Amino acid sequence: MEAFESDGLFWLPGDESAQVAGRISFDPSTGTLLHLIGSFSEDDFGDEEKPAPEVVIGVAGKRYLTLKGCSRKSRKFESPGFLREVYRAQFLFAGQQLVDSQNPMFSRLSVRFNNLYAWADRNSVSREFTFGEDRKKLIKATLTLEPAEVEKVQCDGYEVALTGSWKILGSDKNPGFEQDCSLRVSYDAPVDFERVTGDLTVLQDLITATSDAVTIPTNVTLQVAEDGSEESRRSREGVQLYGQQMPYSRAKDKKVGDMPLSLSAIGGMAAVAGWMGFIRERRVLTGLLLSPIYSSMYIENQFFNRVSAAETLHRMEFSNELRPADEYKHFRKMLVRYVPKNYRGWLSQQIVYSNEPRLRDRLRELAEFAGIVDLLGCDARRWALEITNARNRMVHHDKGKGEGASTVELYWLGESLKVVVLASLAKFSNFSEGSQRRLRESEDMRFLAEKMREIFSAK
């Protein structure tokens, strides 16, 4: 995802003869821009503009480029008599092959993240020192760089793996090296771009949630699904994916501290596979839970998002009925029969959702499932009631009930919601049993537990 800028030639799919010169630029925080010295359209300036092309093809920086999700940012006429057009692209593919299909299919995703190396906590460096007889003079120093062993887990329809890499730096006189690692998803059958970007987000959210630090991709390589032998497909270089990263500035400014849960703490690659299997179809949960980490927002919004994350998780994974549906249906009909006929339709509509658990009951059950007593030393009922009251006072503004929770209280209540949802997701994803203990013993968790005691004691 490193920024770049390069001159090149660009054209529309199927019309390579009509090439237009321009400059392509990418910045992680602002995305991809294409500045054309000319126009793809033959219309005279002032004529009704044709819709912007969805896909633009080009060559720049010695690479084929495919811009997808294009929109026209500006179009203006300049002296001595030519048009300039500026396009914004949602995604950019760059490599030695074109991704010119309207619906490209892919066989593999490989991604590096800014926090991945620290989170994975892998070190393939060994040091050996040889000293003289007096143990003071260093005679020989050996530094060994071992190829990192690939850790992989086979899942239903795909394989997820952790791979290592080395980058040699410097010169013979001043040598250096850089170690890094990648997460790789290999698909048993080709998948579309939506699935690939969805899995990319799932992995990104895993590291963000467990490290409690803004995580962004720093390099994304996709293998385009093609015909041919397996050996020939392996030898082909993948294409690099570029796209705007909204939390880029937050990730750049904030340094990573002590991670509550590292890869080994959650149970290694088996836990990664468990997370992917559970979150893949439930990405709305992590979207609600982690949005306050990825972007700046008011404390009230943070609190509401995490209440929504907790309620959504409960609706997805726990019972949404107080009584069995058939039993409640007969019960509702019985209640309706006891009121005058002209009120029966109204009453029936009013109680149609009354068989669902209340918010406080959902939060209590979720907190008990997450083990809130062990994590924060909180009584699940008391905690659920405090969250519910804070939420209701903000929504209903009932007169005569006094002020609601302060901004400070909302912040810490929101943080406790994050912990409860994360601990629940860890259970559903089959994290190792030690992850709960590791989370409980972290410094941030002990500090949060103290804040919760202060909030409860003030009530």
Side-chain angles (χ1 to χ4, degrees), residues 148-348:
E149 184 178 343
V150 177
E151 301 176 42
K152 54 188 177 181
V153 177
Q154 184 63 44
C155 307
D156 184 16
Y158 61 96
E159 177 191 84
V160 59
L162 179 69
T163 65
S165 63
W166 290 102
K167 182 178 181 181
I168 306 301
L169 307 172
S171 62
D172 293 340
K173 292 183 178 180
N174 187 23
F177 60 90
E178 183 178 90
Q179 187 180 6
D180 207 346
C181 52
S182 304
L183 285 171
R184 185 184 69 203
V185 183
S186 303
Y187 301 98
D188 295 348
V191 297
D192 59 20
F193 186 58
E194 183 177 359
R195 169 56 73 189
V196 169
T197 53
D199 286 345
L200 173 61
T201 302
V202 169
L203 294 172
Q204 177 180 355
D205 288 345
L206 168 63
I207 302 176
T208 297
T210 53
S211 67
D212 198 28
V214 182
T215 300
I216 58 171
T218 56
N219 181 278
V220 181
T221 303
L222 305 179
Q223 197 74 43
V224 181
E226 294 181 298
D227 296 331
S229 67
E230 184 177 353
E231 286 298 324
S232 66
R233 292 198 301 270
R234 285 179 180 174
S235 64
R236 297 172 190 170
E237 292 185 11
V239 294
Q240 303 297 312
L241 174 65
Y242 294 85
Q244 183 180 9
Q245 291 292 315
M246 299 300 291
Y248 176 78
S249 59
R250 293 174 66 88
K252 187 177 179 181
D253 295 339
K254 185 177 180 181
K255 295 182 179 180
V256 179
D258 293 332
M259 295 187 175
L261 294 174
S262 63
L263 175 61
S264 59
I266 67 175
M269 292 305 295
V272 175
W275 174 275
M276 285 194 67
F278 184 76
I279 296 295
R280 264 181 138 192
E281 309 306 326
R282 300 171 178 83
R283 282 165 48 201
V284 64
L285 292 173
T286 50
L288 290 167
L289 181 68
L290 303 177
S291 53
I293 298 178
Y294 286 128
S295 60
S296 178
M297 58 176 60
Y298 290 113
I299 300 299
E300 292 82 358
N301 295 108
Q302 294 186 30
F303 177 76
F304 274 127
N305 276 27
R306 283 166 174 166
V307 170
S308 297
E311 183 177 4
T312 301
L313 176 57
H314 187 279
R315 285 182 177 276
M316 286 181 169
E317 304 303 324
F318 294 82
S319 174
N320 285 300
E321 298 174 345
L322 297 176
R323 300 185 180 192
D326 290 340
E327 178 184 329
Y328 180 73
K329 183 178 180 181
H330 293 299
F331 176 72
R332 191 177 69 173
K333 287 183 177 179
M334 180 270 293
L335 290 178
V336 170
R337 285 199 299 267
Y338 280 92
V339 300
K341 289 185 178 181
N342 56 322
Y343 294 120
R344 289 176 183 175
W346 173 84
L347 179 60
S348 179

Side-chain angles (χ1 to χ4, degrees), residues 111-132:
V111 56
R112 294 201 297 266
F113 294 102
N114 60 323
N115 297 329
L116 178 57
Y117 181 71
W119 182 72
D121 194 23
R122 298 179 64 177
N123 187 9
S124 301
V125 182
S126 60
R127 301 172 180 84
E128 184 179 350
F129 301 100
T130 303
F131 293 90

